[in-house]
């Protein structure tokens, strides 16, 4: 049977009806990849998985929420949608709006979004305005405009975005036959951590899973308002996707953290780049810098010994949460890889050595490759 996207697969759990026109690019159904290198690195009691959301149609997890938000906007008779974006939301909104023949307007912080994302918003035909300000300024403008004009807001303040994005947690549970013990993810505007936690709680309530994961969120050090406890006026990080100083879903992210017994911490740009290179070179998975914040966070927690108490009492953690005859005695950690590496090729090139130029002859090439 053909796969037809997250709305069709999970419509029982989504706010859609027979009358909802389904606008889809067959998003979702992304691979949950076992991380050989990281699992070995962290130790024998752990299994690490990578949820590769970069394989969605526009290259990020935003498509899960956008299919629902745009479908509902059509159902409600909207003619135009608008968002502020660090790049991926605008790429996704532009693509789904094009498909639905809706006008799409995006506000981006001037000079601060990755090239791939800008190219997407433009080629899909959105009206793209680069404002002289940051993401938070852009979002404030979008909120004000969409309250006063007949334009649908498609940032994650739109509850349909959260509804669609929660399907990623369903997929993880369907793959693992339960929730993981921990989920590690980047946090920017905090819609995604909110969506995952909502999804896990709903699956638990339905009896589809036995445990709930601890939610481990990571912000970039230069853009870590939740960690520092106050908005950041001038957020800065190479992970431009999460360069956000005043997250819209701040309180809901804290709720996910606290209800799950998890944490929200931060990682430096250096840690992000190091995880970014490790993922590409050791796991074969190319992500954008913001996505690498999850693995950077995982490695930071390992270094700090955070998981030790769980590995020491590993079977007790299992006993607490699981039925005694469960097959999985190892601790399972899922890292969410939110966006594709090709979104930001400049960063990749800057992170490694440029290719060496050699003469176009056999001898010169063989010498360079050591044969
Ligand atoms: C790759 O596109 O906010 O915590 O405007 O693109 O739900 O905001 C992007 C966010 C993580 C953070 N990883 O998710 C936008 C935008 C990637 C992202 C996040 C974003 P949220």
């Amino acid at each position: 049977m053909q796969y037809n996207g997250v709305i069709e697969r999970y419509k029982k759990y989504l706010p859609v009806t027979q009358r909802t026109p389904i606008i889809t690019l067959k998003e979702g159904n992304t691979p949950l990849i076992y991380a050989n290198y990281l699992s070995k690195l962290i130790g024998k009691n752990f299994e690490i998985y990578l949820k590769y959301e970069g394989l969605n149609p526009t290259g990020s997890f935003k498509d899960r929420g956008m299919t629902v938000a745009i479908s509902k906007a059509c159902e409600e008779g909207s003619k135009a949608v608008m968002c502020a974006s660090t790049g991926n939301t605008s790429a996704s909104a532009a693509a789904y709006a094009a498909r639905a023949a809706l006008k799409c307007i995006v506000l981006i912080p001037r000079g601060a979004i990755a090239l791939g994302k800008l190219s997407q918003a433009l080629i899909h035909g959105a009206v793209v305005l680069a404002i002289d300000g940051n993401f938070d300024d852009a979002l404030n403008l979008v909120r004000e405009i969409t309250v006063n004009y007949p334009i649908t807001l498609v940032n994650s303040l739109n509850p349909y975005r959260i509804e669609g994005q929660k399907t990623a947690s369903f997929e993880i549970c369907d793959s693992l036959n339960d929730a993981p013990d921990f989920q590690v993810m980047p946090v920017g505007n905090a819609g995604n951590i909110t969506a995952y936690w909502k999804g896990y709680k709903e699956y638990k309530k339905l009896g589809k899973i036995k445990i709930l994961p601890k939610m481990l969120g990571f912000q970039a050090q230069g853009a870590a308002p939740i960690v520092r406890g106050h908005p950041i006026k001038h957020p800065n990080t190479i992970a431009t996707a999460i360069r956000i100083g005043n997250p819209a879903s701040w309180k809901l992210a804290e709720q996910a953290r606290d209800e799950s017994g998890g944490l929200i911490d931060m990682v430096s740009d250096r840690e992000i780049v190091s995880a970014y290179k490790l993922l590409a070179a050791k796991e074969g998975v190319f992500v954008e810098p913001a996505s690498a914040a999850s693995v950077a966070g995982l490695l930071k927690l390992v270094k700090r010994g955070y998981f030790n108490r769980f590995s020491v009492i590993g079977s007790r953690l299992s006993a607490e949460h699981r039925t005694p005859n469960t097959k999985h005695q190892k601790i399972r950690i899922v890292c969410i890889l939110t966006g594709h590496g090709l979104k930001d090729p400049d960063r990749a090139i800057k992170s490694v050595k440029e290719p060496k130029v050699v003469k176009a002859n056999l001898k010169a090439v063989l010498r360079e490759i050591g044969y």
Side-chain angles (χ1 to χ4, degrees):
M1 212 180 73
Q2 265 234 44
Y3 174 75
N4 284 318
V6 298
I7 295 182
E8 187 181 284
R9 181 166 181 193
Y10 291 113
K11 59 175 170 285
K12 272 198 290 191
Y13 315 119
L14 295 171
V16 293
T17 67
Q18 296 283 323
R19 286 189 315 279
T20 314
I22 295 179
I23 311 298
T24 181
L25 289 162
K26 306 197 176 186
E27 59 295 313
N29 199 24
T30 57
L32 187 66
I33 304 168
Y34 185 72
N36 288 310
Y37 182 87
L38 282 167
S39 298
K40 231 177 246 157
L41 190 74
I42 289 167
K44 62 175 178 2
N45 291 329
F46 294 86
E47 288 178 352
I48 314 295
Y49 295 87
L50 308 171
K51 181 67 170 163
Y52 195 13
E53 289 287 279
L55 293 191
N56 274 295
T58 78
S60 86
F61 70 97
K62 304 284 182 182
D63 295 342
R64 294 178 183 278
M66 210 53 77
T67 182
V68 181
I70 298 289
S71 296
K72 292 303 282 187
C74 286
E75 182 180 352
E76 290 158 9
S78 174
K79 297 285 174 260
V81 299
M82 187 172 191
C83 65
S85 184
T86 57
N88 281 323
T89 299
S90 64
S92 186
Y96 283 80
R99 208 166 165 78
L102 295 179
K103 181 173 183 174
C104 178
I105 309 148
V106 308
L107 295 194
I108 54 168
R110 180 178 136 197
I113 83 168
L115 192 66
K117 305 173 188 181
L118 179 61
S119 73
Q120 288 176 290
L122 292 169
I123 202 75
H124 287 305
V127 177
V128 179
L129 302 177
I131 65 153
D132 231 338
N134 61 29
F135 170 83
D136 305 288
D137 301 323
L139 185 56
N140 285 337
L141 285 163
V142 170
R143 291 171 88 148
E144 195 175 332
I145 292 166
T146 52
V147 163
N148 292 306
Y149 295 86
I151 307 173
T152 305
L153 174 144
V154 291
N155 281 102
S156 56
L157 287 158
N158 178 329
Y160 298 131
R161 281 277 314 280
I162 303 295
E163 290 299 312
Q165 281 172 216
K166 78 185 178 191
T167 59
S169 62
F170 296 165
E171 287 178 16
I172 291 171
C173 296
D174 291 344
S175 297
L176 297 177
N177 288 315
D178 205 339
D181 297 287
F182 298 90
Q183 172 169 310
V184 199
M185 66 192 303
V187 174
N189 212 25
N192 212 26
I193 191 170
T194 302
Y196 271 97
W197 184 237
K198 184 169 197 287
Y200 284 122
K201 286 197 296 187
E202 286 181 12
Y203 248 31
K204 177 95 184 326
K205 218 168 176 185
L206 288 161
K208 290 180 106 33
I209 53 175
K210 297 194 189 71
I211 65 167
L212 285 170
K214 296 189 187 301
M215 304 294 284
L216 311 175
F218 283 88
Q219 303 195 292
Q221 203 162 57
I226 299 176
V227 182
R228 298 188 192 277
H230 57 81
I232 306 296
K233 242 208 175 107
H234 301 291
N236 201 8
T237 166
I238 58 121
T240 52
I242 51 172
R243 187 171 170 183
I244 293 173
N246 192 11
S249 300
W250 187 320
K251 287 282 164 288
L252 292 168
E254 289 182 335
Q255 197 181 317
R257 174 194 68 193
D258 298 340
E259 287 179 5
S260 73
L263 55 80
I264 296 178
D265 200 345
M266 58 190 176
V267 283
S268 68
D269 281 2
R270 186 199 290 248
E271 289 169 309
I272 288 172
V273 170
S274 160
Y276 169 72
K277 291 167 72 173
L278 180 152
L279 274 168
K282 303 293 187 191
E283 299 287 4
V285 177
F286 188 24
V287 301
E288 63 170 284
S291 308
S294 60
V295 171
L298 171 71
L299 294 172
K300 181 172 174 169
L301 292 180
V302 168
K303 218 187 232 165
R304 196 200 282 165
Y306 171 81
F307 294 104
N308 290 353
R309 62 194 164 115
F310 300 109
S311 59
V312 171
I313 56 157
S315 53
R316 228 175 62 217
L317 180 79
S318 306
E320 261 173 32
H321 292 282
R322 296 178 182 151
T323 52
N325 56 358
T326 177
K327 277 194 223 106
H328 293 284
Q329 288 304 329
K330 292 191 180 184
I331 291 176
R332 297 191 292 188
I333 306 177
V334 173
C335 297
I336 310 301
L337 303 180
T338 46
H340 202 288
L342 290 172
K343 293 274 188 176
D344 195 356
D346 295 341
R347 179 53 56 186
I349 302 286
K350 271 186 215 150
S351 307
V352 292
K353 268 195 266 169
E354 295 262 343
K356 192 161 181 178
V357 178
V358 293
K359 289 223 170 69
N361 71 56
L362 195 61
K363 227 175 105 185
V365 173
L366 286 173
R367 187 169 48 224
E368 287 302 330
I369 62 179
Y371 286 91

